Amino acid sequence: MRGVDVRTEAASVRLSRTQTTATASLGNSQRTLSNIWRRIGIQPATVFIALSLAFGSLIIFVTPPLRGPDEIAHFLRIYSYARGELLPAAEINGRKGIFVERELYNQLHFFRTAGEWFARTREQGVRYGQIMAVYRDDVGTIDERQDHAANFAPFAGTEGYNPVTYIPYIAAAAIGRLFKFDFPDMLILMRLFGLATFTAVAAYAIAVTPVLKWAFVLIALLPVSIYNRSVLSADGAALSSALVVTALCLNAAREPAAGRVWERSLWMTLCALSKQPQIVFVLLELMVSRLKALPRRWSSVAIVVLPCVILSPLWVVAVSAEIAAWRLQEEGYHPPEHFDPLWKLFYMWEHPYHFPLAAWRALSGWADRLWQELIGIVGWQDILLRPWTYLVLTVCLMLVPLQKLQLDSATRARVTVITGLAVLGYIAVVYLIFFLTYTPLDTDHVRGVQGRYFVIALPVAAILTAAVVNRELPHGMTAAIAIAGSMIAGVATVEALLRAHW
């Protein structure tokens, strides 16, 4: 009779039980992850809010004061609104601006000078930890040096921005003034208010849009988007309002009965007042119904279009805005009429090829830089992300719009045409504005255009891509690409800021 090795059988039983337990545990984990993934897949707005607030808060605290693009100019304009000055209250030597208290002026001067010094010497190892230490040592002597006389500070081109662009910042500045916050603390508060507000608006757009939710998530979490939403900038309001307008018009195109005219009118007006080129988005209202139906619905079209078509130009005229053409005059003399939009329009009538050629040279000659700025160049537009980041995020941007719009052929054709016109029209108007106000005639290309201006058109471009391709990625892949791209964008932005500044 064969003997039985009890120890071997016991070990076999234990191993079998362990394998069974491990297999069951693995199955439970997979089911749990699958359930989580399904929940995420139907709640892109929630994912966006979490990532935007997480990465945005980090960016706020690792970005030193006034290191955002033109952040000092935006701060001064916001501060003037917080004091109740709707129109520019002061002008010296043709420069519009504001008189600020000596203490605040000294603090602004310190951080502006520190930023310029840092930009020149960071390659030699200078970091903002040293600069902030100098500020903390110096802040105690500011009160002793001030004589309570106000100093003039120019807006440097931000006088043209409407107060609706700055609403959350103005509220934070008013609170800061009420409680007599130090400048760095007031700046942090303003950034936090802007991040929270524009995150909420963009999340609303993601919730409202019937399709392309994950495309909207990725666009709103690109490095350029999350960074400009986290510092003082007009771009946060511009992108979030453009997202809402695009979502509402697409929703009305799919279900005309579901579209609310007053809501589109409100957001279209806010969108056009955020930045002048965004007036082109009135074209999106033409997606809502067939062009043959326009005579019957002219009243609703007028309600949506007329407020922004009237208010946006009126605001520009009221503030007599300029786009910092004085910077070019400092480089060398140019006839003043070269920056006069009306004079320039007559010139274009007589020389019809000048502007198209100048715009083409700007596009073709700086395409690589524009592409990088579209994805994200942070700081004073001087801090690049890791090179691979631009390639990965570009591929993600090309893939996330691959989704069927679920439209009939006639509606899809109309959406294709209108979105194509809106994208091309927006690009053309951006270059036209900079040609009229910022480009001397002896320059062979349009000056001043940055790639970050075109992120505003990406939501419309995503709809155009989806309408033209009319193909769909496998279920769940779009969400995975958008989440992965958003995580890469957030981590890369924070890493670049830490690497450069600290």
Side-chain angles (χ1 to χ4, degrees):
M1 186 175 181
R2 184 172 61 86
V4 178
D5 190 340
V6 177
R7 289 173 299 176
T8 302
E9 290 193 5
S12 176
V13 170
R14 286 196 300 270
L15 181 60
S16 176
R17 289 176 178 173
T18 301
Q19 289 175 336
T20 302
T21 302
T23 302
S25 177
L26 180 61
N28 290 335
S29 298
Q30 289 176 338
R31 283 193 295 273
T32 301
L33 290 174
S34 178
N35 289 334
I36 292 173
W37 183 256
R38 281 199 298 271
R39 289 177 179 273
I40 290 175
I42 60 174
Q43 296 181 3
T46 304
V47 174
F48 167 74
I49 291 172
L51 294 180
S52 179
L53 293 180
F55 287 123
S57 298
L58 288 173
I59 291 169
I60 284 173
F61 288 100
V62 301
T63 303
L66 304 186
R67 276 293 294 168
D70 299 320
E71 196 167 26
I72 185 172
H74 289 295
F75 175 84
L76 290 169
R77 192 62 176 120
I78 294 163
Y79 195 73
S80 72
Y81 283 134
R83 295 198 322 196
E85 299 171 4
L86 184 62
L87 299 177
E91 182 173 343
I92 295 179
N93 297 327
R95 301 282 303 281
K96 296 179 176 64
I98 179 178
F99 282 96
V100 297
E101 305 86 350
R102 170 71 68 166
E103 181 181 0
L104 177 59
Y105 182 86
N106 286 338
Q107 293 173 345
L108 292 171
H109 179 73
F110 175 89
F111 284 110
R112 180 174 183 174
T113 304
E116 294 170 351
W117 175 58
F118 170 79
R120 293 192 304 267
T121 60
R122 70 181 184 190
E123 298 300 330
Q124 285 74 51
V126 174
R127 288 294 179 264
Y128 255 89
Q130 303 163 261
I131 294 173
M132 295 306 295
V134 172
Y135 174 75
R136 285 190 294 270
D137 293 338
D138 189 57
V139 70
T141 64
I142 289 179
D143 289 337
E144 299 174 5
R145 294 198 306 264
Q146 68 169 328
D147 56 8
H148 300 287
N151 282 64
F152 178 76
F155 289 137
T158 57
E159 67 269 24
Y161 288 116
N162 193 279
V164 301
T165 307
Y166 295 135
I167 288 174
Y169 305 131
I170 295 170
I175 294 172
R177 292 187 70 236
L178 179 64
F179 291 99
K180 302 186 185 307
F181 281 9
D182 195 35
F183 166 69
D185 297 330
M186 184 187 295
L187 181 64
I188 291 292
L189 183 66
M190 293 165 71
R191 288 175 174 179
L192 288 171
F193 269 51
L195 173 65
T197 302
F198 299 132
T199 295
V201 174
Y204 176 68
I206 293 167
V208 167
T209 185
V211 290
L212 298 175
K213 292 179 182 290
W214 287 112
F216 278 32
V217 168
L218 180 58
I219 291 168
L221 285 171
L222 286 174
V224 65
S225 305
I226 184 63
Y227 178 75
N228 285 323
R229 193 161 55 245
S230 304
V231 298
L232 300 192
S233 172
D235 292 348
L239 176 58
S240 58
S241 60
L243 281 166
V244 174
V245 165
T246 306
L248 291 174
C249 290
L250 180 59
N251 189 37
R254 279 171 53 101
E255 300 180 43
R260 292 176 291 190
V261 173
W262 69 265
E263 189 176 17
R264 294 201 304 276
S265 177
L266 171 64
W267 284 105
M268 193 75 77
T269 303
L270 294 176
C271 180
L273 289 175
S274 296
K275 282 194 171 183
Q276 278 73 40
Q278 294 181 200
I279 198 171
V280 172
F281 289 159
V282 298
L283 291 172
L284 297 180
E285 180 63 18
L286 300 179
M287 291 197 309
V288 174
S289 64
R290 294 180 302 170
L291 297 182
K292 292 181 180 179
L294 282 179
R296 294 197 306 272
R297 56 181 298 267
W298 67 268
S299 58
S300 62
V301 173
I303 291 172
V304 174
V305 171
L306 284 182
C308 55
V309 170
I310 294 172
L311 293 177
S312 182
L314 277 180
W315 175 256
V316 175
V317 173
V319 297
S320 301
E322 49 93 13
I323 309 182
W326 51 268
R327 294 171 181 168
L328 299 180
Q329 295 289 32
E330 289 179 349
E331 298 174 5
Y333 175 77
H334 302 283
E337 60 268 20
H338 286 194
F339 309 107
D340 181 348
L342 187 59
W343 185 91
K344 216 62 161 303
L345 287 171
F346 282 110
Y347 175 86
M348 290 174 61
W349 179 262
E350 297 175 357
H351 304 82
Y353 298 110
H354 189 117
F355 166 67
L357 290 175
W360 171 249
R361 292 189 189 101
L363 269 170
S364 58
W366 282 268
D368 55 343
R369 178 74 178 187
L370 292 171
W371 165 60
Q372 287 181 317
E373 290 173 344
L374 177 68
I375 302 298
I377 299 180
V378 298
W380 281 350
Q381 297 290 295
D382 60 347
I383 300 174
L384 290 169
L385 309 178
R386 301 292 184 183
W388 61 268
T389 307
Y390 295 99
L391 295 174
V392 170
L393 291 179
T394 300
V395 172
C396 291
L397 276 176
M398 295 170 65
L399 292 176
V400 288
L402 298 183
Q403 182 179 352
K404 291 185 178 181
L405 298 181
Q406 305 300 330
L407 301 172
D408 60 75
S409 57
T411 304
R412 186 162 68 86
R414 184 174 71 251
V415 167
T416 302
V417 172
I418 298 303
T419 54
L421 289 174
V423 171
L424 292 176
Y426 178 82
I427 295 172
V429 170
V430 168
Y431 277 97
L432 177 62
I433 289 174
F434 277 89
F435 177 75
L436 294 175
T437 61
Y438 198 73
T439 303
L441 291 180
D442 56 0
T443 303
D444 67 348
H445 62 276
V446 177
R447 298 194 58 166
V449 177
Q450 299 177 24
R452 65 188 174 97
Y453 302 146
F454 300 116
V455 71
I456 310 299
L458 287 181
V460 183
I463 297 175
L464 173 63
T465 302
V468 171
V469 177
N470 199 32
R471 294 289 185 274
E472 201 160 272
L473 293 176
H475 179 70
M477 185 174 290
T478 303
I481 293 171
I483 293 174
S486 299
M487 293 290 292
I488 290 170
V491 172
T493 305
V494 174
E495 184 275 334
L497 290 167
L498 285 171
R499 169 167 41 91
H501 293 126
W502 304 98

